[in-house]
Amino acid sequence: MTVQITNPSLQDQTVGVIATSLPGAAAIFRKFKIDFCCHGDVTLDRAAKDLGLDADFVEQALSELKTDDLPGLTKLSSGDLTEYIQSRFHDIHRREIPELILLARKVEAVHRENPKVPAGTAVLLKELERELEGHMKKEDLILFPAMRWSDTTLDAPISQMRKDHADLGVYLQRLADLTDNFTLPEGACRSWQALYIGLSKLNEDLREEIHLENNVLFPRFETV
Ligand SMILES: [Fe+2]
Ligand SMILES: [Fe+2]
């Protein structure tokens, strides 16, 4: 079924709300490089203008979305959603990032003479890993349990988490810049291919996780 968006104020809604309420909108935003996770509180009109895009054009793309792939995550209880985030994202980051660091070290060493080598990726990933681990621990040990035990507002800790997310978004942007948006050079070896596939997945996963937290989970516990 095609969604006909007749609401004339869609461009006045925030991209975070649109990504949450309109199935498939997240993919459209990724295509246009609209940051709906770390900067989800920006209106569609503003986000389009900031990127030099025609907001009507983006709205048209959103209006052609289909509703068949509703993920259902927004309907989960907070307890189930936090458990989903931990198993689908936190556990997987902890497993995959160390492997990516090893792979990046290898590619950087073997291809150090290649002008396209993403020099500095391993160091950047190590910094990202440290920041992300500190952030996930706060969610795993303090914030998420608090969300399971009560429905009181948690404005102060959530505000800190949102700041952490913005910082993590900067790391992801630096990774994309280093790798020419995860674009492989001609004749890249298998390790290089595996590295960019893994980095691209990390980028997608972390942005999806931040989107779920910022735009679906956190608003349930905020007063503003
Ligand atoms: Fe998280
Ligand atoms: Fe988070």
Side-chain angles (χ1 to χ4, degrees):
M1 173 171 68
T2 300
V3 178
Q4 291 300 331
I5 297 173
T6 52
N7 183 350
S9 65
L10 182 67
Q11 292 182 26
D12 296 327
Q13 292 180 32
T14 67
V15 291
V17 166
I18 296 171
T20 303
S21 57
L22 186 60
I28 297 281
F29 286 156
R30 273 196 285 274
K31 189 174 136 207
F32 287 109
K33 302 204 184 313
I34 290 174
D35 184 355
F36 61 91
C37 56
C38 302
H39 297 99
D41 56 346
V42 175
T43 63
L44 174 59
D45 181 54
R46 181 77 263 155
K49 281 195 176 115
D50 287 348
L51 290 166
L53 298 167
D54 181 344
D56 289 337
F57 187 65
V58 180
E59 185 172 8
Q60 179 59 34
L62 291 169
S63 74
E64 290 167 358
L65 285 171
K66 298 186 184 306
T67 57
D68 299 338
D69 54 347
L70 182 65
L73 293 173
T74 58
K75 296 192 174 109
L76 291 180
S77 69
S78 299
D80 287 345
L81 184 54
T82 52
E83 277 178 21
Y84 172 82
I85 288 170
Q86 286 179 287
S87 62
R88 168 64 184 84
F89 298 107
H90 293 193
D91 291 350
I92 288 176
H93 297 322
R94 288 181 173 114
R95 200 162 61 233
E96 293 184 346
I97 294 176
E99 290 171 14
L100 288 172
I101 292 171
L102 293 177
L103 211 43
R105 281 189 188 134
K106 181 179 170 190
V107 169
E108 288 183 59
V110 172
H111 300 283
R112 60 185 171 279
E113 309 294 343
N114 187 324
K116 299 249 182 187
V117 76
T121 300
V123 170
L124 185 59
L125 277 172
K126 194 75 196 157
E127 286 174 27
L128 168 62
E129 182 186 45
R130 192 181 58 240
E131 290 290 320
L132 184 56
E133 183 53 42
H135 173 76
M136 290 190 298
K137 271 211 177 86
K138 286 184 270 186
E139 290 179 339
D140 291 343
L141 302 177
I142 301 167
L143 188 64
F144 287 180
M147 289 173 165
R148 287 176 199 135
W149 295 331
S150 104
D151 58 1
T152 57
T153 55
L154 297 160
D155 288 320
I158 285 175
S159 162
Q160 182 56 51
M161 295 301 106
R162 287 186 183 277
K163 284 194 190 108
D164 288 357
H165 288 168
D167 292 343
L168 291 166
V170 173
Y171 278 103
L172 292 179
Q173 187 56 54
R174 286 170 63 197
L175 267 183
D177 291 343
L178 262 183
T179 58
D180 191 19
N181 239 344
F182 317 109
T183 307
L184 286 162
E186 196 81 14
C189 69
R190 286 166 86 159
S191 295
W192 205 331
Q193 292 176 32
L195 174 63
Y196 279 19
I197 289 168
L199 289 176
S200 178
K201 178 178 182 294
L202 170 64
N203 179 58
E204 292 283 318
D205 278 359
L206 191 47
R207 287 185 183 280
E208 180 70 21
E209 178 194 349
I210 290 173
H211 163 58
L212 270 179
E213 291 173 355
N214 275 3
N215 301 322
V216 178
L217 180 63
F218 292 172
R220 298 179 184 180
F221 298 90
E222 288 174 306
T223 50
V224 285

Short mmCIF file of all heavy atoms in Angstrom, two decimals, residues 135 139 165 209 213, ligand 2:
data_model
loop_
_atom_site.label_atom_id
_atom_site.label_comp_id
_atom_site.label_asym_id
_atom_site.label_seq_id
_atom_site.Cartn_x
_atom_site.Cartn_y
_atom_site.Cartn_z
N HIS A 135 30.05 4.74 26.76
CA HIS A 135 28.65 5.13 26.56
C HIS A 135 27.71 3.93 26.78
O HIS A 135 26.70 4.04 27.49
CB HIS A 135 28.48 5.68 25.15
CG HIS A 135 27.06 5.95 24.78
ND1 HIS A 135 26.37 7.05 25.25
CD2 HIS A 135 26.19 5.25 24.01
CE1 HIS A 135 25.14 7.01 24.78
NE2 HIS A 135 25.00 5.93 24.04
N GLU A 139 24.51 3.02 29.57
CA GLU A 139 23.16 2.57 29.21
C GLU A 139 22.87 1.20 29.82
O GLU A 139 21.80 0.98 30.40
CB GLU A 139 23.02 2.51 27.68
CG GLU A 139 23.00 3.89 27.05
CD GLU A 139 22.89 3.88 25.53
OE1 GLU A 139 23.23 2.83 24.91
OE2 GLU A 139 22.51 4.90 24.97
N HIS A 165 25.77 10.71 21.86
CA HIS A 165 25.39 10.28 20.51
C HIS A 165 25.90 11.27 19.46
O HIS A 165 26.36 10.86 18.39
CB HIS A 165 23.86 10.18 20.39
CG HIS A 165 23.29 9.01 21.13
ND1 HIS A 165 21.94 8.87 21.36
CD2 HIS A 165 23.88 7.94 21.71
CE1 HIS A 165 21.73 7.74 22.03
NE2 HIS A 165 22.90 7.16 22.26
N GLU A 209 20.87 2.47 15.71
CA GLU A 209 20.74 2.38 17.16
C GLU A 209 20.48 3.76 17.78
O GLU A 209 19.58 3.93 18.62
CB GLU A 209 22.02 1.78 17.76
CG GLU A 209 21.95 1.70 19.28
CD GLU A 209 23.32 1.42 19.89
OE1 GLU A 209 24.26 1.10 19.15
OE2 GLU A 209 23.44 1.54 21.11
N GLU A 213 17.22 5.01 19.92
CA GLU A 213 17.31 5.56 21.28
C GLU A 213 16.81 7.01 21.31
O GLU A 213 15.96 7.36 22.13
CB GLU A 213 18.75 5.45 21.78
CG GLU A 213 19.16 3.99 22.02
CD GLU A 213 20.64 3.83 22.34
OE1 GLU A 213 21.40 4.81 22.30
OE2 GLU A 213 21.04 2.68 22.66
FE FE B 2 23.22 5.23 23.06
#
